[in-house]
Amino acid sequence: MPQTHQAQPASRFIPVAKTLPEQIAEAVESRSTPLSHLLRLMAALQEEGGNEALRLRLRARIGAPLDA
């Protein structure tokens, strides 16, 4: 039986990759971000030769008390 309808693949939502500063800003604002993720962001920032202000924000967040 011939097909009368051409099936198209379903379009997928592919999120746009966020920049490192955007990722850091979100991680610093969220109190649920795991320490391991913050440390990976710090390593990525150092590898990139990153922004001193971002590095200081990350360091402050890594050292912040959990109830802060």
Side-chain angles (χ1 to χ4, degrees):
M1 177 184 252
Q3 290 195 344
T4 58
H5 176 70
Q6 291 289 340
Q8 298 274 338
S11 62
R12 294 183 182 175
F13 173 72
I14 301 173
V16 176
K18 295 180 182 175
T19 65
L20 186 57
E22 289 172 335
Q23 292 177 45
I24 291 171
E26 284 183 7
V28 168
E29 291 171 8
S30 172
R31 288 302 188 202
S32 63
T33 303
L35 183 59
S36 60
H37 184 67
L38 294 170
L39 292 172
R40 282 193 298 270
L41 288 172
M42 179 67 83
L45 185 62
Q46 286 177 319
E47 187 177 299
E48 192 178 86
N51 181 328
E52 184 66 18
L54 285 176
R55 189 179 73 75
L56 290 174
R57 284 184 67 198
L58 259 177
R59 287 194 68 186
R61 172 61 179 87
I62 289 169
L66 292 176
D67 60 357

